[in-house]
Amino acid sequence: MVVTRFAPSPTGYLHIGGLRTALFNWLFARKNNGKFRLRIEDTDLSRNKQEAVDAIIKAFNWTGLNYDDEVVFQSERFDIYKKYINELLKKGLAYKCYLTKEELEKIREAKLKGEKPPIDIRKYRDFKGELDKPYVIRFKTPLEGKICFEDGVKGKQCVDASEIEDFVIARSDGTPTYNFVVVIDDKEMGMSDIIRGDDHLRNTFKQLLIYKAFGWDVPNFYHVPMIHNEKGAKMSKRDGAVDVMEYKKEGYLPEALLNFLVRLGWSYGDQEIFSIEEMINLFDPKDINKAPSRFNKEKLDWLNSHYIKNSPNERIERILRDDFGVDIVNHDKKEILIDELKERVKTLKEMAREIEKILTPPSEYNEKAIKKFLKEDAINNLREFIEFLKDKDPKLPPDWHKVMDEFLKQKEIKPKFLMPPLRIAMVGDTKGIDLAALLSVLGKEEVIKRVNTLLSKI
RNA sequence: GUCCCCAUCGUCUAGUGGUCUAGGAUACCGCCCUUUCACGGCGGCGACACGGGUUCGAAUCCCGUUGGGGACGCCA
């Protein structure tokens, strides 16, 4: 059976890059009727795990990704890890290392500078005695030879064993470290395929050695290139929204975000739009690209507008109310309003703003527009138009069209002497949804009121 | 610095030796539609990083250069 997982460290929110990784794993599991599991990598113990899990689950719920079985917390499995560590110790595959933090710091600094470390990190590898000092447990890595594995994305990957130094598997406080517990958990949770960011490529060699030490079969690995920011570097908080839930706040539809993310590093011919079902059917980790990709907001916007256009109005209405505090559930012309707006906005946040602009009488008028369109005759036209309206009763957009046409015909004037001024009276500017729709949404009384307001101000 | 990964329009990508005067999408520009702004339709701009090979033939294979990215923790 195919079993995949998403294994974030608890940072307090779901990162946009993490969502793509989760999506890939989820798609692959669903495609193969397998399992997709969630594991929280909280061996560090320093952060609030519950808050982090809540954040991830909230984001999962929003995007529709669901995980199978219970969530696994590494912080609750220390006894299990200890057992395995002791096993390695007993077999002589791991050892106690008494190097101090200061000594280690010197080694690290030297490595980062490209210099040869002043102290051998394997100093205690063959030390037989016991010291009354704090120690960490290191894994004995082979001194020579090659370590290789077949990566599902990048092909065969090898490294000289000499480059993988004896790494820490248990800290001085006894807690186990990432590269060790990952292997134990992936094994115990029955992982068949591991799709993760290629920042883990290096770690894979260490993990391979642990698998070997226990004589376990190795799962398939797929290292997917990172998503970069628009400048081509690693995404960070400075680049704007890295928290998935920010996209909800900005008025993006989850399916738009997923569609956008699935196309970052993966493609299926020329196809751009993928329903969730299509993604599940068509996704194959073997098709993942080798090159990193950049986050491209314009494309996301385009996808979002596509999905907004194709969303039922009730859904949009609900999001507008729940996420943006714009409640038009009981507005009698809400269908017209949403139908008009969904064709033109890129986000639901934008739609909410537009609705407020329409429903709230203008507090100010665009001066340029007034200068251009509100000449003497136009003002008269407005005055006469509301007079003309008195014994009419237009309701729907076509009614309003008819009324305006009649007026224009009767007065023998061109549309531009009535329509732009009318629009300015309604919303203060010359841009916006179809005028007849706008008038219909506002209703006759409000239309007259707004015209009068404008007339009184000039 | 060392090791590793990567390299097609601004961006996301198609492309696996000949069908490529390199296709799609987005962005941008123009035209049409239209009372306006959008939407939509049509058209345009725009790329195989560079240099060597291999081959009858290279975007596709090999080598190097350059450029970008990642890793180098008692973080994950």
Side-chain angles (χ1 to χ4, degrees):
Chain A
M1 180 165 68
V2 167
V3 184
T4 65
R5 45 75 158 178
F6 180 55
S9 61
T11 50
Y13 61 90
L14 178 57
H15 190 277
I16 188 80
L19 177 59
R20 185 188 60 163
T21 306
L23 174 64
F24 283 175
N25 280 290
W26 182 83
L27 290 172
F28 192 55
R30 294 291 168 260
K31 180 193 175 112
N32 292 289
N33 294 312
K35 285 191 173 191
F36 171 67
R37 304 201 53 188
L38 180 60
R39 181 174 74 225
I40 306 299
E41 312 238 314
D42 56 351
T43 58
D44 200 10
L45 294 178
S46 51
R47 287 152 179 150
N48 183 335
K49 78 175 186 189
Q50 197 50 48
E51 177 188 302
V53 174
D54 290 348
I56 287 161
I57 289 173
K58 219 164 98 192
F60 268 22
N61 285 341
W62 180 60
T63 56
L65 301 194
N66 56 332
Y67 58 88
D68 300 302
D69 303 334
E70 69 291 347
V71 183
V72 171
F73 294 94
Q74 293 186 322
S75 57
E76 291 169 3
R77 293 167 53 78
F78 283 179
D79 288 348
I80 296 166
Y81 306 134
K82 193 159 257 171
K83 194 187 86 195
Y84 284 110
I85 287 171
N86 285 335
E87 192 180 328
L88 289 183
L89 238 24
K90 213 171 281 171
K91 282 185 186 163
L93 296 171
Y95 63 94
K96 294 173 181 175
C97 165
Y98 299 93
L99 253 21
T100 63
K101 291 205 174 177
E102 293 70 39
E103 289 173 304
L104 258 4
E105 188 52 36
K106 275 181 196 156
I107 295 175
R108 187 168 174 233
E109 273 172 24
K111 271 198 291 190
L112 252 16
K113 272 193 234 157
E115 291 163 4
K116 194 170 176 265
I119 304 158
D120 181 8
I121 202 155
R122 287 182 166 125
K123 185 172 172 191
Y124 293 95
R125 183 175 165 115
D126 298 312
F127 181 69
K128 291 284 183 268
E130 293 273 335
L131 259 40
D132 190 24
K133 277 173 66 178
Y135 62 85
V136 298
I137 296 171
R138 287 184 187 275
F139 182 79
K140 274 189 193 173
T141 63
L143 270 7
E144 54 187 26
K146 275 189 181 300
I147 309 166
C148 294
F149 73 100
E150 187 67 28
D151 188 275
V153 173
K154 311 229 181 197
K156 192 172 187 185
Q157 301 295 310
C158 291
V159 75
D160 277 335
S162 60
E163 282 173 33
I164 307 297
E165 64 190 25
D166 293 356
F167 56 93
V168 173
I169 57 177
R171 301 184 182 93
S172 49
D173 65 359
T175 59
T177 61
Y178 167 78
N179 276 307
F180 183 75
V181 297
V182 162
V183 175
I184 304 302
D185 288 334
D186 283 340
K187 167 67 182 175
E188 292 213 337
M189 292 166 77
M191 233 40 77
S192 65
D193 296 83
I194 294 171
I195 305 171
R196 64 189 359 174
D198 71 358
D199 49 340
H200 282 297
L201 196 71
R202 264 306 170 108
N203 290 326
T204 309
F205 298 111
K206 292 179 182 172
Q207 293 165 22
L208 246 21
L209 293 172
I210 305 279
Y211 278 101
K212 204 176 156 200
F214 288 110
W216 293 338
D217 286 340
V218 175
N220 301 317
F221 288 103
Y222 304 86
H223 286 96
V224 326
M226 320 239 78
I227 299 174
H228 288 160
N229 61 23
E230 318 222 17
K231 284 182 220 104
K234 207 175 185 178
M235 278 193 63
S236 71
K237 285 185 194 166
R238 300 195 73 184
D239 300 311
V242 288
D243 177 355
V244 166
M245 293 311 275
E246 289 265 319
Y247 291 88
K248 183 178 192 287
K249 283 190 205 123
E250 289 302 312
Y252 290 90
L253 255 15
E255 61 269 37
L257 222 212
L258 293 183
N259 196 147
F260 171 70
L261 289 175
V262 82
R263 283 285 287 96
L264 243 38
W266 177 83
S267 62
Y268 184 76
D270 281 345
Q271 190 168 340
E272 296 287 349
I273 306 291
F274 294 87
S275 67
I276 300 294
E277 293 70 36
E278 282 177 305
M279 284 184 207
I280 291 172
N281 288 331
L282 299 172
F283 180 77
D284 187 332
K286 287 188 173 58
D287 297 329
I288 294 171
N289 288 156
K290 293 179 179 183
S293 42
R294 294 190 194 198
F295 192 91
N296 174 211
K297 189 163 173 299
E298 281 89 30
K299 194 105 178 207
L300 207 210
D301 284 348
W302 172 71
L303 281 164
N304 202 44
S305 64
H306 169 86
Y307 282 102
I308 287 174
K309 280 180 199 125
N310 289 287
S311 280
N313 288 4
E314 311 92 76
R315 181 185 179 207
I316 292 177
E317 216 177 90
R318 213 177 323 119
I319 297 174
L320 249 19
R321 185 195 57 198
D322 297 345
D323 290 0
F324 300 99
V326 173
D327 190 350
I328 52 165
V329 173
N330 296 316
H331 195 286
D332 65 331
K333 297 293 193 307
K334 65 185 184 184
E335 297 298 328
I336 296 169
L337 197 50
I338 295 177
D339 281 342
E340 280 291 324
L341 252 15
K342 72 201 277 195
E343 290 297 323
R344 47 200 303 130
V345 299
K346 289 188 164 64
T347 68
L348 261 19
K349 186 179 178 180
E350 191 185 337
M351 188 185 283
R353 261 201 314 262
E354 291 301 319
I355 289 175
E356 282 186 321
K357 254 197 242 166
I358 290 169
L359 265 23
T360 318
S363 55
E364 52 185 30
Y365 300 90
N366 183 326
E367 264 182 59
K368 268 190 189 165
I370 292 208
K371 239 183 198 160
K372 185 169 178 194
F373 291 105
L374 284 188
K375 309 252 166 77
E376 188 104 10
D377 49 347
I379 293 168
N380 282 331
N381 288 337
L382 281 182
R383 220 171 256 133
E384 287 170 30
F385 182 67
I386 52 171
E387 203 55 41
F388 183 79
L389 263 181
K390 286 221 166 113
D391 58 335
K392 309 275 190 301
D393 190 27
K395 294 266 191 245
L396 296 174
D399 307 334
W400 280 96
H401 257 300
K402 225 176 105 191
V403 174
M404 286 190 286
D405 282 344
E406 279 171 25
F407 180 78
L408 294 174
K409 211 172 250 173
Q410 190 185 325
K411 295 273 297 170
E412 292 185 333
I413 55 173
K414 286 184 180 165
K416 72 169 177 182
F417 296 108
L418 171 69
M419 290 177 159
L422 206 42
R423 184 188 291 283
I424 292 167
M426 295 306 110
V427 293
D429 209 339
T430 53
K431 305 188 255 192
I433 60 170
D434 177 78
L435 182 58
L438 174 63
L439 300 174
S440 169
V441 166
L442 293 176
K444 180 175 151 183
E445 256 180 64
E446 181 68 15
V447 169
I448 293 173
K449 212 166 130 194
R450 290 194 188 184
V451 169
N452 280 328
T453 305
L454 175 65
L455 291 176
S456 72
K457 283 189 180 171
I458 49 177

